[in-house]
Amino acid sequence: MGSPSTVTFGLWRRHSDFAALAASLREPTTATLATVTGAESGKMQDTFKNTLLSWDCVLQRKRWFKCLDKDYLSLKSFLLERFMHDLLFESSSPQIINKFLGLDKGKKI
């Protein structure tokens, strides 16, 4: 009995890509609303409340200039992971995450 094979891949995204994703959740456009089933523009922030709170934590720890300190990079990585985890947990469908990761046929957010 062997373990099922798994496929993993790495993907790089700039901070501005994450910022665009958070902005699309905070102030949704018609395209963003179409990817989130059952969300109305007034309820979008309530739908992603923890996700947006996690993004605010990322912004609170952001430095003005490029910082390569390993402790800072480790913390930033953790906060971005938490942001994506909350988005995954609060999403009712995978389309918005697939679009961000480039896994759909369209462009990223």
Side-chain angles (χ1 to χ4, degrees):
M1 297 187 76
S3 64
S5 66
T6 58
V7 177
T8 59
F9 62 95
L11 188 66
W12 290 91
R13 289 287 180 246
R14 298 181 60 85
H15 186 272
S16 58
D17 295 330
F18 286 96
L21 176 61
S24 72
L25 298 174
R26 198 173 301 266
E27 296 180 20
T29 62
T30 306
T32 307
L33 288 175
T35 62
V36 182
T37 58
E40 300 170 12
S41 62
K43 296 181 181 178
M44 187 77 149
Q45 285 187 339
D46 292 338
T47 303
F48 297 106
K49 183 177 179 180
N50 290 329
T51 303
L52 294 173
L53 180 63
S54 292
W55 179 248
D56 290 339
C57 290
V58 171
L59 292 181
Q60 288 174 358
R61 297 293 184 159
K62 186 178 176 190
R63 303 242 174 118
W64 281 92
F65 300 102
K66 185 185 289 189
C67 179
L68 299 177
D69 178 52
K70 70 176 187 166
D71 292 332
Y72 169 73
L73 293 176
S74 176
L75 176 63
K76 187 172 181 178
S77 174
F78 168 75
L79 292 173
L80 288 172
E81 181 181 346
R82 185 176 131 190
F83 168 71
M84 292 303 292
H85 179 270
D86 288 341
L87 177 61
L88 179 65
F89 182 75
E90 293 178 330
S91 294
S92 60
S93 68
Q95 282 84 7
I96 196 161
I97 296 169
N98 286 345
K99 193 170 192 174
F100 176 72
L101 297 177
L103 299 175
D104 66 345
K105 304 243 188 260
K107 295 179 182 177
K108 61 183 177 165
I109 295 176

